[in-house]
Amino acid sequence: MKQIKTLTAVLALTVGATGAMAQDKVMVGEPSWPGAKIMSRVIGQIIETRLGGEAGYAPGANAVIFASMDGGRGDIDVHPDVWLPNQSSFTNEYVDEKGSVSLSGGSYEGRAGICVPNYMVEEHNIKSIFDLATPTAQELFDSDGDGKGEVWVGASGWASTNTFKVRVRDYGIETFLEPTTEDETVFYSRLKDLIDQKKGAAFYCYAPHYVHALYPVTILEEPEHDSATYKMVQPDQDADWYNKSRVDSGEPVKTVTVAYSNSLNDRNPAAASFLSKIDMSAQELSELTYKVVVQGGEIDTVVSDWISANGDIVDAWLGLK
């Protein structure tokens, strides 16, 4: 009987220890833009190959990802590419107010604006954002022959798309160019045709992004960012967001970081510790994006090769140096 009790105690200790060491699967959100998809795989592969954990990927828009991180149930645990202040309505709610989400210590700088191909600058003198608010621009950027030009302001679900809808209104561009929204992949397929034919193309762009390596493009000049003339209200803040917003100065320099559910501190502390330290650079991410989107590399292979070649960077994220 004593031996049975002893064996039972040992088994209980073993099961307890195994449970303590168990790490929940980490579900990494996967927004639609290329940089975010790549960052999601960087995070997932490091969790699997360096931490010995399990990772999965969950496509979703910003609102869905943040709400899932807030829930802490493991539906989605990580947002790999949070652009601030674009997504500040989410970080204000879930990071600052509720305290259910944390941001990584590292970040990189991002820039955003309206781009045109360089031949529009050189041949048609389109240099400023205000050059789009003219009858000449209406004709130059009319790709479908309906008598009005077009400007792509981004994909549905992006916080920046709402901002640029307001921007083209407040700069007076909307009178001459119709703001359009469609999936980034669909738009860039159309952009290729426009550039191949040297037609007018005006579109939301940001850096880091592969478009700057793919085509010679220019970000149009804008007035310097002025908080007094830049008031953006997002739909999750007010149903009348469009009418209550005003954007007629340039974008502030963006801070791009990683967000993760604080539930990981208990469910997978090793992953939480890693996510708190991750610090990808804009240059590194641009190169990865170029290899995947422009050169056609398979995303998991490109990311795996990068992790293998950058052990020092990854070690720092893991707190090993």
Side-chain angles (χ1 to χ4, degrees):
M1 181 65 71
K2 184 177 180 180
Q3 287 180 330
I4 293 175
K5 288 181 177 179
T6 301
L7 179 59
T8 301
V10 170
L11 287 172
L13 287 171
T14 302
V15 170
T18 302
M21 291 186 295
Q23 303 288 303
D24 279 8
K25 180 178 182 178
V26 178
M27 292 300 297
V28 186
E30 195 173 68
S32 61
W33 58 95
K37 290 183 177 181
I38 290 170
M39 282 301 299
S40 73
R41 300 309 169 108
V42 170
I43 291 167
Q45 286 195 26
I46 290 174
I47 288 171
E48 292 186 333
T49 64
R50 296 295 304 272
L51 295 179
E54 183 181 3
Y57 306 98
N62 295 324
V64 172
I65 296 174
F66 272 95
S68 297
M69 291 191 294
D70 173 60
R73 295 180 299 272
D75 302 323
I76 304 178
D77 299 305
V78 184
H79 191 309
D81 208 45
V82 178
W83 283 64
L84 298 173
N86 297 45
Q87 297 170 36
S88 60
S89 62
F90 298 115
T91 58
N92 288 345
E93 178 178 358
Y94 297 113
V95 178
D96 300 332
E97 296 173 12
K98 292 186 174 181
S100 58
V101 174
S102 287
L103 300 178
S104 63
S107 62
Y108 64 84
E109 285 191 351
R111 296 182 301 119
I114 296 291
C115 275
V116 298
N118 283 359
Y119 56 77
M120 297 304 296
V121 178
E122 297 159 358
E123 299 176 17
H124 300 284
N125 205 35
I126 304 294
K127 297 179 180 179
S128 162
I129 194 78
F130 298 108
D131 293 330
L132 300 181
T134 65
T136 299
Q138 179 172 302
E139 182 177 349
L140 286 173
F141 294 94
D142 179 12
S143 64
D144 57 12
D146 69 350
K148 191 169 186 179
E150 304 88 37
V151 52
W152 182 67
V153 293
S156 297
W158 294 2
S160 59
T161 301
N162 300 326
T163 302
F164 276 76
K165 284 181 180 178
V166 174
R167 168 178 265 100
V168 299
R169 178 197 69 189
D170 292 349
Y171 278 139
I173 297 169
E174 191 178 53
T175 303
F176 305 95
L177 306 183
E178 184 74 28
T180 65
T181 59
E182 58 189 325
D183 180 78
E184 185 177 37
T185 303
V186 174
F187 171 74
Y188 273 91
S189 176
R190 189 158 59 84
L191 178 63
K192 179 182 185 304
D193 293 337
L194 292 172
I195 289 178
D196 285 347
Q197 299 171 55
K198 292 193 74 174
K199 290 186 175 181
F203 55 97
Y204 165 70
C205 63
Y206 58 94
H209 191 278
Y210 67 87
V211 71
H212 301 281
L214 185 59
Y215 304 119
V217 299
T218 296
I219 299 179
L220 295 178
E221 299 170 0
E222 286 188 66
E224 186 175 346
H225 176 73
D226 182 351
S227 58
T229 63
Y230 189 111
K231 178 187 176 184
M232 186 62 210
V233 181
Q234 290 293 344
D236 61 306
Q237 297 173 299
D238 195 311
D240 195 28
W241 65 273
Y242 184 72
N243 292 318
K244 292 183 177 179
S245 296
R246 176 189 175 188
V247 179
D248 51 10
S249 64
E251 288 292 296
V253 175
K254 313 296 181 180
T255 298
V256 191
T257 186
V258 171
Y260 60 95
S261 173
N262 283 335
S263 67
L264 288 176
N265 291 322
D266 296 320
R267 295 171 39 236
N268 195 323
S273 176
F274 149 57
L275 291 166
S276 73
K277 298 180 179 69
I278 191 168
D279 188 18
M280 176 62 82
S281 76
Q283 181 61 36
E284 295 283 354
L285 184 55
S286 291
E287 291 176 4
L288 285 170
T289 306
Y290 180 80
K291 289 178 180 178
V292 171
V293 180
V294 180
Q295 295 183 330
E298 200 279 320
I299 187 169
D300 285 316
T301 300
V302 170
V303 168
S304 177
D305 290 345
W306 183 87
I307 291 172
S308 297
N310 291 275
D312 288 348
I313 293 176
V314 176
D315 282 350
W317 296 349
L318 296 173
L320 300 177
K321 56 176 296 185

